[in-house]
Amino acid sequence: MKQKRLALADIPKGEVSATQQGAVVRYLGELQDIGGLKGTDIANITDVSKATVSRWKAGSMKPHPRNELILSDLTYIVGRLQEYYSPDEIRSWLYARHPQLEGQRAIDLIHQNKSIDVLRVLERLDAGVFL
């Protein structure tokens, strides 16, 4: 069954700041703790400076909706990968070129709004196909 995720952009404008900041801070924390990703990694995938990522984490600035989607997708994928890998292995997996992704890196596909391609690979991993 397919679940529809609530995108932060779907939250009425007047309600965005507290909810959005909480979600973004949570995403960033999970990406660091579970995915082994650093601020520099997140800055690279979202095409912003490391200082901007720090402002997101502090709650003093909110990401553009496109970057919110990238953070959401990345957090979901990292959550799926934690079933199989340690944080350091997850970071390596995201940066590695994969034959199942036609030699592309998962991190680049997520940036290009092609997370579904990465999720297909994870479905094969769930089915026990060696990656």
Side-chain angles (χ1 to χ4, degrees), residues 78-118:
V78 162
R80 295 276 310 273
L81 287 168
Q82 80 171 341
E83 298 172 28
Y84 305 100
Y85 302 114
S86 71
D88 287 339
E89 292 170 324
I90 290 172
R91 184 175 184 274
S92 294
W93 192 95
L94 291 168
Y95 275 99
R97 296 195 178 277
H98 296 279
Q100 299 85 359
L101 296 172
E102 299 177 7
Q104 297 185 71
R105 301 179 317 162
I107 204 120
D108 295 330
L109 292 172
I110 296 165
H111 174 78
Q112 297 165 9
N113 199 26
K114 296 180 181 177
S115 297
I116 193 73
D117 295 339
V118 178

Side-chain angles (χ1 to χ4, degrees), residues 28-121:
L28 295 172
E30 288 179 15
L31 291 172
Q32 181 179 347
D33 297 341
I34 297 170
L37 297 173
K38 301 171 177 91
T40 304
D41 298 316
I42 300 200
N44 289 336
I45 193 172
T46 55
D47 267 341
V48 299
S49 69
K50 188 175 178 223
T52 297
V53 173
S54 294
R55 287 191 285 275
W56 292 346
K57 194 167 188 173
S60 61
M61 183 179 181
K62 63 182 184 177
H64 184 276
R66 182 182 185 293
N67 285 332
E68 291 172 12
L69 181 60
I70 290 171
L71 292 172
S72 173
D73 285 354
L74 185 58
T75 302
Y76 179 75
I77 289 167
V78 162
R80 295 276 310 273
L81 287 168
Q82 80 171 341
E83 298 172 28
Y84 305 100
Y85 302 114
S86 71
D88 287 339
E89 292 170 324
I90 290 172
R91 184 175 184 274
S92 294
W93 192 95
L94 291 168
Y95 275 99
R97 296 195 178 277
H98 296 279
Q100 299 85 359
L101 296 172
E102 299 177 7
Q104 297 185 71
R105 301 179 317 162
I107 204 120
D108 295 330
L109 292 172
I110 296 165
H111 174 78
Q112 297 165 9
N113 199 26
K114 296 180 181 177
S115 297
I116 193 73
D117 295 339
V118 178
L119 291 172
R120 285 187 189 116
V121 171

Side-chain angles (χ1 to χ4, degrees), residues 115-131:
S115 297
I116 193 73
D117 295 339
V118 178
L119 291 172
R120 285 187 189 116
V121 171
L122 294 179
E123 288 171 6
R124 289 194 292 265
L125 183 61
D126 289 341
V129 177
F130 180 75
L131 297 178

